Amino acid sequence: MLELLNISKQWVPPTGAPKALLRGATVSVSAGETVALLGPSGSGKSTLLRIAAGLEQADAGMVRMDGADISATPPERRGFALMFQDFALFPHLNVQDNVAFGLVEQRIPKAAARDQARAMLARFGLSAYALSKVWQLSGGEQQRVALARALITRPRALLLDEPFSALDADLRLQLREEFKAHIAEHRMATLWVTHDESEARAMAARGYRLLEGTLLRIW
């Protein structure tokens, strides 16, 4: 279980007074469960995700995984996968090596990692692009590569920020079902940040809205 407990965070603008971005936000996500976070732009949703990932430190509060405090654990040692809106793909690597990257970091032999990457790309309809550079792909194709890379390591927790935003409606529906199956099969605790409430309700067992730094359960 992933737990974010009483997370507080101030945003300090270049000029002016600090602003409370998160005020004691608390949410838990069980293995195999998806929880959605909704809220307007700038409400702190992505900041909460970054704190869960270890990319930012909270001013107060704790991040726990399976009962252990991981607040001070570096991101690379948390066993989480995260995907943000800018995709963060490596421009010098081809598509299959972008997807295989996390496996290689886990010391899986490169040939085996590439085999797994090609199998994952096939599930996302990207087999034809395995040897292409990521900058040759459309925005939607790059997003699918980022999703494949996030899933391939079978992380303990999956942190997603608007993961389907660049995809067309048919592919969004297809990937919803793919994600549901994958999350359940590998029992990943999943935090899903989105502006789309209908998508959130289709994907998540529980949903919270972040307003003025406070998480409010909406279903």
Side-chain angles (χ1 to χ4, degrees):
M1 176 183 286
L2 172 64
E3 298 172 281
L4 304 177
L5 303 172
N6 297 310
I7 301 294
S8 294
K9 181 73 174 179
Q10 282 194 327
W11 173 63
V12 183
T15 59
K19 173 188 175 184
L21 193 59
L22 297 168
R23 304 171 186 264
T26 293
V27 64
S28 62
V29 192
S30 298
E33 181 184 33
T34 299
V35 171
L37 300 179
L38 297 104
S41 296
S43 62
K45 303 185 305 298
S46 296
T47 297
L48 191 59
L49 220 58
R50 292 176 66 84
I51 289 170
L55 298 175
E56 289 190 34
Q57 289 295 310
D59 297 331
M62 181 189 302
V63 181
R64 291 200 309 209
M65 188 68 194
D66 296 334
D69 182 358
I70 61 168
S71 304
T73 302
E76 65 274 12
R77 291 180 52 204
R78 296 193 179 195
F80 294 180
L82 50 151
M83 180 189 152
F84 295 107
Q85 289 171 301
D86 61 1
F87 311 149
L89 298 173
F90 301 114
H92 63 289
L93 297 179
N94 63 26
V95 168
Q96 82 175 1
D97 286 346
N98 263 278
V99 176
F101 182 82
L103 298 177
V104 173
E105 289 291 292
Q106 294 177 352
R107 302 187 183 278
I108 291 174
K110 185 172 285 187
R114 284 174 168 169
D115 285 345
Q116 290 186 48
R118 285 192 292 271
M120 183 63 76
L121 287 169
R123 296 179 71 173
F124 281 86
L126 293 167
S127 295
Y129 301 100
L131 300 181
S132 300
K133 295 294 187 182
V134 292
W135 48 264
Q136 295 174 311
L137 275 57
S138 69
E141 289 161 350
Q142 289 183 33
Q143 192 157 27
R144 287 151 69 194
V145 171
L147 290 168
R149 186 178 66 180
L151 290 174
I152 198 168
T153 57
R154 299 181 181 180
R156 297 194 296 167
L158 188 59
L159 309 173
L160 302 169
D161 193 349
E162 300 282 359
F164 296 165
S165 61
L167 305 181
D168 62 44
D170 288 343
L171 189 56
R172 289 167 82 105
L173 291 173
Q174 174 189 327
L175 290 183
R176 282 181 192 177
E177 298 310 310
E178 180 79 27
F179 261 63
K180 282 182 181 178
H182 209 94
I183 289 164
E185 179 184 355
H186 300 296
R187 295 189 56 75
M188 293 179 287
T190 302
L191 265 179
W192 190 293
V193 165
T194 179
H195 287 92
D196 185 338
E197 186 166 336
S198 63
E199 178 177 278
R201 288 182 179 274
M203 292 300 304
R206 288 180 287 128
Y208 294 81
R209 193 176 305 281
L210 189 56
L211 290 174
E212 298 182 355
T214 300
L215 278 176
L216 305 172
R217 185 168 177 177
I218 52 176
W219 74 83

